[in-house]
Amino acid sequence: MNSKRNKDLNPPRLPEWIIQRLAWAEDRFSIQENLREEYMFILATRGARSANLWYWGHMIRSLFPFVKFSIYWRSVMIKNYLKLVLRSMNKHKGYSFINIAGLAVGLACFILISLWINFEISYDRFHENGDDLYQVIGENLLPNGNLDFFPQTPAALAHALDSERPEIRNVSRSLEWMEFLLGTEDRRFLERVRFVDPAFLEMFSIEFMKGNPKEALSQPQSIILTENIAKKHFPDQDALGEEILLGSNGIFLVTGVIKEMPANSFLRSLCLLPIEALGDMGMDIDRWSGGNYFTYVHLEEEANLEFFKAQISGIYKKYAPNWAVTKLTLRPITRIHLYDLNGGGPIVYIYIFSGLSVFILLLAMVNFTNLSTARSFLRAKEIGVRKTAGAYRQQLTKQILMESILVALFSGCLAVVIAYFLLPVLNQLTGARIDFNFNGETALFLTGIVILTGVISGIYPAFILSSMNPVRAIKGAIKPGKNSLLFRKVLIAFQFSLSIFMVIAMIGVNKQLKYLKTKGLGYNQGNILSMGLDREISRCYQAIQTEFMRNPDILSMTRSSSNMRTESTTTGGDAVTWEGKPNNIEMPKTHLMRVDPEFVTTFQIDMLEGRFFSNEFPSDVTESAVINETAIKTMDLKSPIGKRLTVWKQNFRIIGVIKDFHFYSLHDEIRPLIFIHRFAGYSNIFIRINSQDIPKTLDFIQDKIKEIVPGYVPNLKFLDENLHNIYITEQRMVTGTRYFTFLAIFISCIGLLGLASFSVRQRTKEIAVRKVLGASEGNIVLQLFKETLICVIAANIVVCPIAYFVLQGWLQNYAYHTTLGIGIFILASVLTVALAFLSVGWNVFKASLANPVDSLRYE
Amino acid sequence: MNEISKAEEMVLLAIWRLRDEAYGVSIRRKILNDTGKNYTYGTLYGLLRQMDHKGYIKKIKGEPLPKKGGRSKSYFKLTPVGIRVLKGAIALHKRMWKDINEFSFDES
């Protein structure tokens, strides 16, 4: 064969390159040479064309065998790695337990959080038109320059939008704050219902069990029941076509039964009524003033969103020049759940908890890395032998990485099992209904995460181990280096920093919740029952009151337009004026509450000045107003009694000033409040009862109400329990951080335990020598514990200020918040040091007691 | 004794027949000439590697190729184990085909 080959005598480049890529390293060259040889032969005998053709054909025919063999050999190697991993796990059971348990717990936590996040972001994605559905919202520019968004819009807006904008395919209003007695003659419950335009059913994906969605809302006297309510009132029969009573508004025909809305929808599961029914109840459904309606639009797919927003932003001006809104805009319905209109919302918790789950996983990885590097020189001989036998560094790195990936995979499987069993806990914690659905996509994602975990936690040990000098490794001359020791200490400090942070956060959040729950609200919240009120019950109120007051266990009762938990009617700006109003003062957001004269006695609130409403002054009903301390301060009124107050162009006289109290959640500071006394417009009854024999009183109330309002089954609740429910988010935060803290501490401590048992064993001889030279047990414990102590204390010093600022920042969200005393930080520090001591302690203690003769007799 | 596949048998026989001249090209050509099987180098080297791993054959480095930086050609040789498995293959054949020839199938 000619050794000097011309360039054009070479085989075609592309197939040659492909074959080179595919062939395994040791035979790559031979195969290439062989092919060249045959190519040359064909070239010489039959010409270039057929030689090239042959080469290409050969390459293509070789593809399959190459791939087949490389897979075969790779699986042989993996089998080999697997065998090694299993052997070493079997040999060091405690160590493998710490690694696998830590990683499994970390991964399980990660899986659960991912499931929860997946659930949260799935909100309202199931609507077929979801991407084109928007809620119309208002945007106000506040005097301080901030924007205030609100979702309530006037009833007439929907029609105006529909007639002016061609981009709109469908539009619907929704009114969902009214409650009615709903049911049959002898069994009625107070239910919240939703009034909508017929288009609502086309826009949102609402699943019908019975009835025709196209016609269900075409008649004003029709109602669509939810599955649960249909079952409640028509347990044994088909609800469709039945008649049902709606408060005092007469008989409604059931034209459909819908499934309950899925848990991941911002739309509450409510019975649906046509909006025309409101007209029959005497409400003007084409008004531009007083907006309590939500307006939803379904845009054409090709609509330009920005253009549309610009077009509607001032659309109301033509119809309602006085409407106090600056601008109209839109928000996609898929954001309604996740993002609160004025900042915050569940999205914040998604960020917090996903961050935490990543941190927990990091902790577990740190354990793995730490233990592997600490133990690396135990494997020095193995590595030395492998290297001498001809293993490349790259191969060793691959092997060690493969081992950690395998450990991660074991942990991953375990984690799935743990997550499966802990899912109910998560559901309870978040109040969500999350299923454990494991489709291909999540499995792939999870496998990816698991492998990544293995790689990240194995990369440093792999680097350390594969870089060992084989000669020194076999001689046993390799000792843990200064660098890797420092690295380990930093990792321990890092782990403990997170644990300390979690402990501080847990105590802080807990303290705030306790503060919120126990802070005085300015009135006596104990032993107050609350129940709803609709027009029909209102009409019977006098009879109810007369009957109730005969029972000595019922102390007093009152009606109010507020539920004492959430904001109710608000006003402000130029809607509120008063006698002697200076020009430079304008009322900020002001609350308006309708109450009857018994309000102050029932809630036991003191008056500051003047008097409260009284039945002895009939004119109170229309002419009098009572305001709170904050209002006086804001208005800068010196002698308020008798002054004229105008709200929404109605004149009142101020007859009294009430002491400040919290009339809704403590998230917000006390705002100006104006009480007016009206016959109508109440939505809640509050009953103060005696604390003796409460069940009897409850029965009495139930029975009497049913007698007076035929068939009414009231849903009685204790106000203080209801009040606690306002802080459900904080409650969940507390429980959530508690779990996370526990996990963080658990993982850090088992990691420390593993390291300690290892380093103590490493230092058996040192301890023995020290003892022989006269060190006491105490000295030795201190000596051994010193290193860990330094790490933990360093972590404390770094973390405490950070935790302080983060918590302080969180507390700033609350108008009323607890103070973070130094106690929290001391408690957290002491706790973590104690825990570190406990996890190191057993091994250290055991080592300090050991008889030096046992350790030294082989020297 | 392990039984070998037909493909392994062919490769082993080819190597034995080629004695000192058994390398990629010659093995492939031998099989092509003797049996008509047109193996690709992918398949051939896959088999060779496997049999090397099993210990039937061993790889011998030849003289470096006469060019700049030339690497040496790999020759293959049967090991005693390889010879034993080949003998085993003959014995198996004999047992399998005992009392049977081409005409035996005509009876049925």
Side-chain angles (χ1 to χ4, degrees):
Chain A
M1 182 138 299
N2 194 350
S3 63
K4 270 192 184 164
R5 278 174 293 188
N6 293 328
K7 202 168 179 234
D8 54 356
L9 282 180
N10 276 342
R13 284 222 182 145
L14 181 64
E16 189 169 40
W17 179 82
I18 293 175
I19 284 191
Q20 273 199 345
R21 303 290 339 144
L22 286 172
W24 40 92
E26 42 185 298
D27 290 326
R28 187 174 295 152
F29 172 74
S30 308
I31 291 170
Q32 190 194 340
E33 275 308 309
N34 284 323
L35 277 164
R36 254 171 210 269
E37 194 180 323
E38 289 218 43
Y39 175 84
M40 290 305 155
F41 181 76
I42 298 171
L43 191 74
T45 50
R46 281 183 281 158
R49 232 184 91 83
S50 35
N52 280 343
L53 213 62
W54 176 84
Y55 203 104
W56 272 100
H58 197 95
M59 186 279 290
I60 288 162
R61 286 206 301 136
S62 304
L63 284 179
F64 178 69
F66 272 129
V67 172
K68 191 178 81 180
F69 280 110
S70 70
I71 289 173
Y72 169 79
W73 285 105
R74 220 153 270 179
S75 73
V76 167
M77 275 324 278
I78 288 175
K79 251 188 246 167
N80 184 28
Y81 295 145
L82 193 65
K83 203 190 270 172
L84 284 171
V85 173
L86 285 175
R87 276 183 196 157
S88 102
M89 281 205 292
N90 204 28
K91 196 170 162 199
H92 310 281
K93 289 200 183 71
Y95 160 74
S96 343
F97 169 77
I98 288 172
N99 267 345
I100 291 181
L103 275 184
V105 168
L107 281 169
C109 171
F110 187 85
I111 294 173
L112 287 173
I113 296 295
S114 308
L115 282 172
W116 173 68
I117 292 176
N118 218 4
F119 174 80
E120 287 288 321
I121 60 177
S122 74
Y123 261 72
D124 297 293
R125 305 261 169 204
F126 63 90
H127 296 294
E128 255 169 64
N129 313 317
D131 293 338
D132 300 319
L133 289 176
Y134 296 89
Q135 186 182 42
V136 182
I137 54 174
E139 184 188 305
N140 252 340
L141 189 66
L142 298 178
N144 61 8
N146 288 344
L147 287 174
D148 178 46
F149 294 95
F150 53 93
Q152 294 88 0
T153 48
L157 176 66
H159 279 303
L161 284 173
D162 200 20
S163 56
E164 294 208 5
R165 295 310 320 161
E167 297 96 331
I168 293 179
R169 183 179 288 182
N170 264 325
V171 58
S172 172
R173 291 163 285 183
S174 169
L175 183 85
E176 46 195 74
W177 57 268
M178 284 171 94
E179 290 184 324
F180 294 95
L181 278 182
L182 185 74
T184 45
E185 203 70 54
D186 49 334
R187 235 167 117 251
R188 297 193 287 168
F189 299 89
L190 200 61
E191 311 273 10
R192 189 176 286 249
V193 297
R194 170 182 284 134
F195 295 90
V196 294
D197 288 305
F200 191 83
L201 299 174
E202 282 173 48
M203 294 163 67
F204 294 94
S205 296
I206 293 171
E207 220 177 309
F208 268 70
M209 297 172 73
K210 303 266 168 57
N212 180 358
K214 291 212 167 60
E215 290 163 12
L217 293 177
S218 53
Q219 297 300 319
Q221 290 289 101
S222 53
I223 183 168
I224 300 171
L225 301 184
T226 66
E227 195 184 349
N228 287 347
I229 288 177
K231 271 197 194 127
K232 198 149 86 181
H233 295 292
F234 308 100
D236 308 316
Q237 67 208 89
D238 188 355
L240 193 68
E242 292 295 324
E243 290 173 341
I244 198 160
L245 292 170
L246 184 84
S248 50
N249 304 295
I251 297 166
F252 280 70
L253 187 69
V254 178
T255 51
V257 178
I258 51 172
K259 281 214 164 131
E260 300 296 317
M261 290 309 286
N264 55 352
S265 176
F266 80 96
L267 287 172
R268 290 168 61 181
S269 229
L270 299 176
C271 294
L272 300 173
L273 287 137
I275 208 150
E276 275 75 31
L278 279 176
D280 295 348
M281 293 174 198
M283 284 175 77
D284 183 359
I285 52 170
D286 289 306
R287 284 202 320 179
W288 272 102
S289 57
N292 276 315
Y293 296 80
F294 297 131
T295 308
Y296 300 104
V297 292
H298 179 190
L299 297 187
E300 297 286 353
E301 261 166 53
E302 59 271 17
N304 181 337
L305 190 61
E306 289 313 314
F307 177 72
F308 180 73
K309 272 188 189 168
Q311 291 302 307
I312 64 161
S313 80
I315 210 164
Y316 63 91
K317 281 189 180 129
K318 199 160 87 190
Y319 305 91
N322 296 329
W323 193 27
V325 71
T326 319
K327 227 174 130 186
L328 283 173
T329 181
L330 295 178
R331 67 163 160 171
I333 57 150
T334 43
R335 282 175 73 97
I336 292 180
H337 167 75
L338 284 179
Y339 299 86
D340 287 353
L341 265 178
N342 291 304
I347 193 73
V348 177
Y349 293 94
I350 289 183
Y351 285 134
I352 293 178
F353 281 104
S354 52
L356 284 181
S357 71
V358 170
F359 273 137
I360 295 278
L361 195 56
L362 266 181
L363 287 188
M365 289 187 204
V366 165
N367 270 353
F368 190 99
T369 308
N370 245 349
L371 281 175
S372 305
T373 30
R375 295 174 69 264
S376 63
F377 61 98
L378 282 190
R379 288 186 68 175
K381 282 202 176 124
E382 177 198 332
I383 302 298
V385 171
R386 275 177 192 277
K387 274 202 165 172
T388 347
Y392 296 115
R393 174 161 183 195
Q394 201 190 350
Q395 285 175 316
L396 283 172
T397 317
K398 227 198 236 166
Q399 180 205 337
I400 296 158
L401 266 184
M402 196 60 90
E403 281 182 24
S404 67
I405 289 173
L406 280 170
V407 171
L409 283 173
F410 281 128
S411 318
C413 297
L414 200 61
V416 170
V417 177
I418 296 176
Y420 179 80
F421 284 106
L422 284 185
L423 193 63
V425 180
L426 178 76
N427 277 339
Q428 202 194 354
L429 190 69
T430 56
R433 280 208 310 273
I434 304 165
D435 301 322
F436 202 80
N437 54 349
F438 224 61
N439 51 27
E441 210 175 299
T442 45
L444 204 68
F445 171 72
L446 190 62
T447 320
I449 289 293
V450 168
I451 290 176
L452 192 70
T453 306
V455 170
I456 293 176
S457 45
I459 196 113
Y460 184 73
F463 168 75
I464 290 277
L465 274 170
S466 62
S467 68
M468 279 177 180
N469 178 334
V471 179
R472 293 184 51 211
I474 291 177
K475 271 190 182 159
I478 287 190
K479 287 274 170 283
K482 268 227 159 68
N483 277 338
S484 77
L485 209 64
L486 184 73
F487 182 72
R488 249 168 25 229
K489 279 184 186 162
V490 169
L491 285 183
I492 291 178
F494 168 71
Q495 273 191 325
F496 267 85
S497 308
L498 284 176
S499 302
I500 295 161
F501 183 84
M502 288 309 303
V503 171
I504 295 174
M506 179 187 77
I507 302 174
V509 174
N510 209 3
K511 205 173 164 200
Q512 171 66 6
L513 178 68
K514 217 177 224 166
Y515 176 84
L516 289 177
K517 280 187 173 175
T518 53
K519 184 180 185 323
L521 297 176
Y523 63 89
N524 183 353
Q525 41 174 313
N527 289 326
I528 292 183
L529 287 170
S530 73
M531 58 182 259
L533 186 66
D534 82 335
R535 249 194 245 186
E536 199 187 348
I537 305 169
S538 244
R539 223 171 278 157
C540 309
Y541 184 74
Q542 287 308 327
I544 298 172
Q545 196 183 23
T546 320
E547 201 59 49
F548 278 13
M549 282 307 135
R550 287 201 187 126
N551 186 332
D553 286 327
I554 296 176
L555 303 174
S556 72
M557 59 191 290
T558 183
R559 289 165 294 173
S560 160
S561 63
S562 147
N563 59 10
M564 303 298 275
R565 290 185 290 132
T566 49
E567 294 184 58
S568 54
T569 322
T570 58
T571 174
D574 40 4
V576 183
T577 53
W578 60 93
E579 204 179 324
K581 174 178 180 280
N583 277 334
N584 60 344
I585 297 182
E586 187 161 274
M587 279 311 257
K589 195 172 180 181
T590 303
H591 289 254
L592 205 63
M593 220 192 261
R594 300 163 189 225
V595 292
D596 67 11
E598 285 82 19
F599 187 84
V600 273
T601 34
T602 309
F603 283 99
Q604 299 177 353
I605 308 170
D606 293 332
M607 296 298 291
L608 205 69
E609 252 179 280
R611 60 174 182 89
F612 202 66
F613 304 120
S614 165
N615 291 329
E616 287 162 28
F617 298 86
S619 61
D620 275 1
V621 172
T622 48
E623 291 172 5
S624 301
V626 173
I627 56 180
N628 72 347
E629 256 179 284
T630 309
I632 294 290
K633 275 179 214 145
T634 330
M635 291 155 85
D636 200 22
L637 267 180
K638 290 288 173 287
S639 50
I641 308 297
K643 290 263 158 62
R644 185 173 45 79
L645 176 73
T646 312
V647 183
W648 284 327
K649 294 183 184 132
Q650 289 194 48
N651 290 322
F652 299 95
R653 290 241 164 251
I654 300 172
I655 55 164
V657 179
I658 195 168
K659 271 196 173 166
D660 267 347
F661 68 100
H662 293 274
F663 46 93
Y664 62 99
S665 89
L666 285 171
H667 294 117
D668 207 352
E669 61 197 322
I670 297 181
R671 296 195 181 268
L673 173 67
I674 299 170
F675 283 113
I676 52 173
H677 175 23
R678 279 289 155 99
F679 283 131
Y682 302 124
S683 60
N684 289 79
I685 300 180
F686 295 99
I687 308 167
R688 176 170 290 284
I689 57 168
N690 207 333
S691 56
Q692 262 130 46
D693 206 0
I694 289 171
K696 205 182 98 197
T697 318
L698 288 179
D699 284 345
F700 171 83
I701 293 174
Q702 300 261 12
D703 291 347
K704 280 295 168 208
I705 289 241
K706 210 171 176 180
E707 237 169 66
I708 300 164
V709 187
Y712 175 31
V713 187
N715 184 12
L716 284 169
K717 281 194 176 124
F718 278 100
L719 180 64
D720 45 2
E721 279 170 27
N722 257 352
L723 285 174
H724 282 180
N725 288 341
I726 312 177
Y727 306 114
I728 189 96
T729 323
E730 286 78 17
Q731 182 65 60
R732 283 175 186 156
M733 271 287 266
V734 167
T735 332
T737 46
R738 199 174 294 159
Y739 280 107
F740 273 110
T741 311
F742 176 74
L743 284 179
I745 290 180
F746 170 76
I747 294 177
S748 311
C749 284
I750 60 168
L752 203 54
L753 181 82
L755 271 184
S757 81
F758 174 76
S759 75
V760 164
R761 207 173 311 146
Q762 234 22 68
R763 294 169 70 173
T764 327
K765 276 178 194 150
E766 179 199 325
I767 293 165
V769 171
R770 280 178 194 276
K771 273 193 119 174
V772 170
L773 293 178
S776 72
E777 272 101 20
N779 279 343
I780 286 169
V781 170
L782 201 66
Q783 187 73 27
L784 290 174
F785 185 56
K786 207 171 64 190
E787 278 173 29
T788 319
L789 192 69
I790 291 170
C791 288
V792 176
I793 288 176
N796 264 308
I797 291 170
V798 174
V799 164
C800 283
I802 299 175
Y804 177 81
F805 284 116
V806 172
L807 267 183
Q808 204 62 43
W810 178 71
L811 286 176
Q812 291 309 318
N813 295 328
Y814 294 87
Y816 301 92
H817 55 79
T818 176
T819 46
L820 297 170
I822 191 140
I824 293 183
F825 300 97
I826 294 176
L827 184 62
S829 308
V830 171
L831 192 72
T832 43
V833 170
L835 280 169
F837 188 75
L838 276 181
S839 31
V840 177
W842 171 243
N843 286 302
V844 168
F845 185 64
K846 219 166 50 179
S848 71
L849 288 184
N851 187 348
V853 176
D854 292 337
S855 340
L856 289 175
R857 67 175 148 201
Y858 298 111
E859 286 297 297
Chain B
M1 176 58 58
N2 289 331
E3 274 164 24
I4 49 175
S5 69
K6 260 276 163 328
E8 285 176 324
E9 193 178 330
M10 274 188 266
V11 177
L12 284 177
L13 274 174
I15 292 173
W16 182 75
R17 282 181 209 264
L18 287 165
R19 315 270 156 164
D20 294 335
E21 282 304 315
Y23 72 103
V25 177
S26 62
I27 299 171
R28 205 183 85 85
R29 287 211 179 134
K30 192 84 191 157
I31 295 173
L32 185 61
N33 287 338
D34 292 358
T35 67
K37 292 259 179 215
N38 191 357
Y39 280 156
T40 62
Y41 285 106
T43 314
L44 181 63
Y45 271 88
L47 283 167
L48 288 170
R49 191 177 176 201
Q50 238 168 26
M51 289 196 293
D52 187 18
H53 189 67
K54 289 177 182 168
Y56 299 165
I57 55 174
K58 60 177 184 261
K59 218 191 275 186
I60 295 166
K61 294 272 173 199
E63 289 294 306
L65 284 179
K67 67 170 184 181
K68 199 177 169 204
R71 297 170 73 167
S72 48
K73 217 169 180 175
S74 296
Y75 288 90
F76 295 92
K77 218 173 148 64
L78 291 192
T79 63
V81 184
I83 290 169
R84 229 173 34 239
V85 292
L86 267 185
K87 281 182 183 163
I90 301 174
L92 183 67
H93 268 257
K94 281 189 177 153
R95 281 201 301 280
M96 278 166 63
W97 292 91
K98 194 180 174 196
D99 303 334
I100 304 176
N101 56 36
E102 285 95 329
F103 306 113
S104 305
F105 298 108
D106 296 342
E107 289 166 17
S108 53

